[in-house]
Amino acid sequence: MDLFRMYLSQGFGILIQSLLTATIIYFALINLLLYIFKKRDKDFYKNNKLKVAAEYLFVISLYVILRITGLTDGSYYFDGFNRISAIEIGIPFCGASEIMVLLNTLMFVPFGFFAAMAFKKLSWVKALLLSFGTTFVIEFLQLFNGRKSELDDIIANMFGAMCGYFIFRGIEFLIKKDNRKKGVITLVVVLLCGSLYCVTVHYLANGDRLQAEFDAMYHEIYNMSDEDDDYDYISKISYINNGNEYKIDLTGDSLECLEIYNSFGIDIGNQVYSYIESTKQGNICDLTSENPDEYLVIDYSEPQSFNFYNNENLVIEDAEILLYNLNNGTLYFSVENSSEYKIWTIDNVKQPFVKNENLYDMILKKIN
C-alpha cells in the first residue's frame, strides 16, 4: 500500500504540473484553430460552458497520461522496430505487478469519463475504439522512447477507460428521471465488472508477491530506507588513511552517514559476482597498520549477516566489522575476537575495479 500511495502522490504531482500546459493546448491551440476555421463562435462558449469544461478536463486527462507514459519528454530512439520482437504475448497479467496493473487501469478512468462527458454522441463502440486507439498509439510510441510496451497495458487502459465511460453514462441516466433504473443498472454492472476485474488481476498478477519472496531471500548491505531506526545496528563508521583513523560522526547529519553506508553497500552488491573469497589468520584490527591504505570501516553493535542477489554463493555471516579498501575494492570482515578474517578480492578479469569517487568525496566531506 505504501508503494500504491507513493505512485498516486506522484500522479497527483504530475497533474498539478500539467495544468498550465494543458490549458495552453486547449484554449490557445485547439479552440483557436476551431475559431479560425469557423467551427465555433463567441456564442458557443457562452451557451456550452459545460461542454467546454468537459473538453478541457478531457485534454488534461490525456496530457497527464502522456506525461506519465513518458511521451512528452522528447527522448526518442530509432531502434523501436527492433524491440517489437521483445514484446511478450502470453496469459494477460500473469507475472505482472498487481499495483502497476491497477494504476494503469485507474489512469484511464478519467479519460473515459471526460470523453463521455465532452462528446455526448460518443457510443460505447466508439468509446472502445477511442480507448484502444489511444493506448495502442502510446504503447507503439513507447517502443521508441526506451519504455516497455506490453499487451497488459492495453487491456488495463481500455478497461479503465470503459469503466470511466459507463460511470458517466450511469450518472447521466440517474439525473434523468425516466432513466434512473437504467442508471442504477449501469453503475451496478460497472461495480460488478470492476470487482471481478480486480479479483482476476489479484489472482493472475503475482509479480509483486514473487518479488517480495525473492527479496526476502536476500539481505544486502545497503538499506534504501531513510528511517534512522533501520540503522541502529551500526555503532561506528570510520575512515582510515595510512593508519590514521577519522571517526565519522553518526550523531550529526545522520542522512549523510546513511548515504555513505548505502553507497558502500551498493558497491559491494554490484561487485560481489566478481569477488574471490579467501581466509587469513590474524586479527582484522591489525590489517590497516600492516597494509597502509585508505579504508572505510563499519562497526556493528550486533553481528550482521548478508547475502546478495548477484552471487548467492558468497555470504557474510555474523560480521562484527566490515573493512573496505577504497582503492582496490577488497572487502574484509570477521566476527568479534576471531583469530581469522575473510578476504574478498576482486577478480579483475571478470570486472576491473573502478573507484567510487562519489563515495570517496562523501567521506572526505564528512571528516573535513
Side-chain angles (χ1 to χ4, degrees):
M1 289 302 295
D2 289 340
L3 186 62
F4 191 81
R5 285 194 293 268
M6 182 190 75
Y7 281 120
L8 284 180
S9 177
Q10 291 178 351
F12 183 75
I14 292 175
L15 170 62
I16 299 300
Q17 297 168 12
S18 302
L19 290 178
L20 178 59
T21 304
T23 301
I24 294 172
I25 291 173
Y26 179 68
F27 289 104
L29 182 60
I30 296 175
N31 276 283
L32 181 60
L33 290 173
L34 290 173
Y35 184 80
I36 291 174
F37 288 100
K38 301 186 183 301
K39 297 295 183 180
R40 292 182 178 179
D41 54 28
K42 294 180 180 179
D43 293 335
F44 176 86
Y45 300 101
K46 294 179 181 179
N47 301 326
N48 298 276
K49 294 180 180 179
L50 184 60
K51 178 176 175 60
V52 171
E55 290 177 348
Y56 174 51
L57 293 170
F58 175 73
V59 170
I60 291 175
S61 67
L62 178 58
Y63 186 73
V64 168
I65 289 171
L66 297 179
R67 282 282 304 272
I68 291 175
T69 53
L71 298 185
T72 61
D73 61 12
S75 300
Y76 287 88
Y77 310 93
F78 296 100
D79 62 344
F81 289 106
N82 296 328
R83 299 176 61 210
I84 292 178
S85 59
I87 298 176
E88 298 180 2
I89 299 178
I91 300 174
F93 308 133
C94 186
S97 165
E98 180 180 356
I99 291 176
M100 296 310 298
V101 171
L102 294 178
L103 286 171
N104 273 322
T105 305
L106 290 174
M107 179 172 65
F108 266 76
V109 171
F111 175 86
F113 185 92
F114 294 125
M117 185 178 179
F119 311 111
K120 292 292 185 180
K121 295 183 180 180
L122 186 69
S123 67
W124 72 267
V125 176
K126 292 180 179 178
L128 184 66
L129 292 175
L130 175 65
S131 61
F132 172 76
T134 302
T135 189
F136 180 82
V137 169
I138 289 172
E139 293 302 312
F140 178 75
L141 292 177
Q142 282 186 327
L143 289 170
F144 299 89
N145 75 342
R147 297 212 177 188
K148 192 175 181 180
S149 298
E150 297 179 301
L151 177 63
D152 291 356
D153 291 346
I154 295 179
I155 297 173
N157 295 163
M158 288 180 62
F159 185 83
M162 294 310 295
C163 281
Y165 173 86
F166 282 112
I167 288 173
F168 177 80
R169 289 291 181 243
I171 294 174
E172 188 179 41
F173 291 143
L174 283 176
I175 295 174
K176 299 177 181 178
K177 294 182 179 180
D178 55 339
N179 277 329
R180 285 181 176 173
K181 183 177 180 180
K182 189 174 182 180
V184 171
I185 294 174
T186 300
L187 293 176
V188 169
V189 170
V190 171
L191 179 62
L192 291 176
C193 290
S195 300
L196 180 61
Y197 174 80
C198 290
V199 171
T200 303
V201 168
H202 178 73
Y203 177 76
L204 293 176
N206 59 348
D208 295 328
R209 297 188 291 277
L210 292 175
Q211 185 63 46
E213 293 173 1
F214 183 75
D215 291 341
M217 295 171 59
Y218 300 96
H219 180 204
E220 299 272 357
I221 292 176
Y222 64 89
N223 185 341
M224 297 313 294
S225 170
D226 58 1
E227 296 293 334
D228 293 353
D229 292 344
D230 291 337
Y231 294 88
D232 286 345
Y233 51 79
I234 301 175
S235 63
K236 185 175 71 171
I237 300 179
S238 305
Y239 165 68
I240 297 179
N241 185 359
N242 290 322
N244 298 313
E245 181 177 359
Y246 304 88
K247 184 177 179 181
I248 297 175
D249 186 11
L250 293 174
T251 62
D253 190 343
S254 59
L255 182 59
E256 287 187 4
C257 294
L258 301 185
E259 287 178 351
I260 290 173
Y261 183 74
N262 281 334
S263 182
F264 152 70
I266 291 171
D267 265 10
I268 301 302
N270 290 337
Q271 297 164 177
V272 71
Y273 80 94
S274 64
Y275 274 121
I276 301 172
E277 185 178 89
S278 59
T279 303
K280 185 175 181 179
Q281 296 293 320
N283 193 320
I284 194 172
C285 296
D286 299 328
L287 180 66
T288 56
S289 58
E290 296 171 357
N291 301 289
D293 211 331
E294 294 181 284
Y295 298 92
L296 180 68
V297 185
I298 313 293
D299 284 279
Y300 295 110
S301 56
E302 56 187 57
Q304 296 296 311
S305 298
F306 304 99
N307 52 346
F308 305 89
Y309 293 105
N310 292 336
N311 192 335
E312 60 184 18
N313 295 319
L314 288 181
V315 179
I316 296 175
E317 291 184 321
D318 298 325
E320 293 276 352
I321 182 172
L322 298 181
L323 196 150
Y324 181 61
N325 190 311
L326 293 164
N327 292 314
N328 60 29
T330 303
L331 179 70
Y332 309 83
F333 60 93
S334 70
V335 298
E336 187 178 15
N337 299 322
S338 175
S339 60
E340 64 179 28
Y341 54 87
K342 298 288 185 181
I343 306 173
W344 286 3
T345 53
I346 288 180
D347 181 353
N348 283 289
V349 175
K350 288 185 176 180
Q351 176 180 316
F353 175 73
V354 178
K355 186 175 181 178
N356 187 339
E357 296 293 345
N358 183 50
L359 171 60
Y360 188 69
D361 290 342
M362 283 192 293
I363 293 171
L364 294 184
K365 178 182 176 182
K366 193 64 180 173
I367 64 175
N368 289 335

